[in-house]
Amino acid sequence: MAGNFRAALQGSQDSKALGTIYGSVILSVFLPPRCGNVGIIQRSRFMRTIFVLLLLLAIPWVVFSQPIDTSSFEARRLRLCAVSFGVRGGVGQSSVSFRPYQQGQSGRAFDVGVFVRLRGDMPLAMQMEFGYMRTGYTTREFTARYGMPEDWLGRDLQVTQHWATLPVMGDFAYSIGWFGFRVFGGAMVDYLLGETLQAEGARLAPKLYEGLYHRLGVGVLGGAGLGAVLPIGSIMLEYRGFYRFTDLYRRDRIPMQEDPRQGLRGQMLSLSYYYTLELGR
């Protein structure tokens, strides 16, 4: 009896230790240390990038690896049963969280895009998009950026970015009659096309030198939608939020201060139209 109790206690302690290790790994990916060794910071950013790439690879595997009877030609023909093409557009807001702290306010954002959605014999589907997104925020700079007039320091600075985006998402969709519902999430690769700065009625478009920007980045996104499934296609009203793991700017660390971070995030309310081609029916 006592031996069984000690064994159970030891198993419980091992489970707690495993949970602690697992939790530490997750926190090291999403919550990097606020200051400290530069190598640790770089490894943490590398792990976040690897996480997004694995997510991009996992989505199609999860969607199209559902078990199905493949003993007959008919079953194999039903393996891919729907392909949807569509367009979407949305408006919302975006912001950038700075570390060390820097005053900032959210700005207007919008995005448009085209997509293709692949659904197997299960309710799970994979959606790939290609789009354009504009984000913005307002801040005050006390250290002049490259090419920025010094008299702009300490004044409200409106910043706008232009992006090319490539989201890959998995989603679960379900419909009852004409009513449709979907929940989705996945990863996104983006590329900074341009940035404009505006203050005191003047506008500046700095050159995107690689030493100043992280133009290519990765992030995550997710959301949900409600809509109508009609004979001419599906119309969905969707909410989605996104967060960019990759820092927006390349900034050197100031001694005795936090490591520089600029996390771009935003949320959109969008309208999407899907036209679906049923295959294998």
Side-chain angles (χ1 to χ4, degrees), residues 261-278:
R261 288 276 295 145
Q262 314 91 41
L264 176 67
R265 66 192 71 194
Q267 50 189 350
M268 302 281 185
L269 189 63
S270 61
L271 193 64
S272 299
Y273 170 77
Y274 301 76
Y275 182 78
T276 302
L277 300 175
E278 296 287 343

Side-chain angles (χ1 to χ4, degrees), residues 211-259:
L212 303 176
Y213 295 87
H214 292 280
R215 299 184 66 180
L216 182 65
V218 296
V220 292
L221 76 164
L226 299 172
V229 181
L230 306 173
I232 60 173
S234 300
I235 301 176
M236 304 288 289
L237 181 65
E238 299 174 346
Y239 167 85
R240 64 170 60 187
F242 68 90
Y243 180 78
R244 190 178 197 248
F245 284 151
T246 309
D247 291 340
L248 182 55
Y249 306 110
R250 298 179 184 269
R251 293 185 174 178
D252 296 330
R253 182 174 182 268
I254 300 176
M256 306 303 295
Q257 291 193 17
E258 297 174 310
D259 293 279

Side-chain angles (χ1 to χ4, degrees), residues 174-182 225-229 236:
Y174 190 75
S175 61
I176 303 176
W178 60 269
F179 176 77
F181 168 78
R182 66 185 294 249
L226 299 172
V229 181
M236 304 288 289

Side-chain angles (χ1 to χ4, degrees), residues 10-245:
Q10 180 63 36
S12 175
Q13 292 175 346
D14 293 342
S15 299
K16 291 181 179 179
L18 182 61
T20 301
I21 295 174
Y22 179 76
S24 300
V25 172
I26 296 298
L27 290 177
S28 69
V29 173
F30 294 103
L31 297 176
R34 302 180 71 87
C35 57
N37 188 283
V38 175
I40 296 177
I41 302 297
Q42 292 176 343
R43 286 195 298 270
S44 179
R45 294 173 181 173
F46 175 75
M47 291 175 66
R48 290 199 301 271
T49 303
I50 293 298
F51 169 79
V52 172
L53 294 178
L54 291 177
L55 186 59
L56 289 171
L57 295 176
I59 290 173
W61 180 81
V62 171
V63 171
F64 296 108
S65 64
Q66 304 298 319
I68 188 174
D69 178 20
T70 58
S71 58
S72 66
F73 173 78
E74 182 67 16
R76 291 192 296 270
R77 194 165 64 94
L78 289 174
R79 189 65 187 92
L80 178 65
C81 59
V83 179
S84 301
F85 302 93
V87 295
R88 61 172 303 276
V91 296
Q93 63 179 12
S94 62
S95 62
V96 174
S97 57
F98 288 93
R99 201 171 68 197
Y101 173 78
Q102 180 174 318
Q103 180 180 352
Q105 298 177 351
S106 59
R108 290 178 295 179
F110 74 86
D111 67 342
V112 294
V114 296
F115 60 83
V116 59
R117 183 173 181 268
L118 307 176
R119 177 173 61 84
D121 58 296
M122 302 292 287
L124 297 177
M126 180 180 71
Q127 180 166 311
M128 296 174 289
E129 300 182 7
F130 179 76
Y132 163 81
M133 179 173 65
R134 191 186 77 176
T135 59
Y137 67 93
T138 301
T139 187
R140 290 187 177 183
E141 297 280 7
F142 294 94
T143 302
R145 300 189 185 192
Y146 178 83
M148 189 180 81
E150 292 188 0
D151 59 354
W152 286 12
L153 296 179
R155 300 181 180 180
D156 288 341
L157 181 67
Q158 297 178 359
V159 186
T160 303
Q161 293 93 20
H162 306 270
W163 306 88
T165 61
L166 183 65
V168 178
M169 300 177 292
D171 75 42
F172 173 84
Y174 190 75
S175 61
I176 303 176
W178 60 269
F179 176 77
F181 168 78
R182 66 185 294 249
V183 178
F184 54 89
M188 178 176 69
V189 178
D190 58 42
Y191 186 78
L192 181 62
L193 301 174
E195 182 180 66
T196 58
L197 312 177
Q198 186 172 351
E200 301 297 322
R203 174 175 293 187
L204 172 68
K207 294 184 178 180
L208 302 182
Y209 292 113
E210 291 298 333
L212 303 176
Y213 295 87
H214 292 280
R215 299 184 66 180
L216 182 65
V218 296
V220 292
L221 76 164
L226 299 172
V229 181
L230 306 173
I232 60 173
S234 300
I235 301 176
M236 304 288 289
L237 181 65
E238 299 174 346
Y239 167 85
R240 64 170 60 187
F242 68 90
Y243 180 78
R244 190 178 197 248
F245 284 151

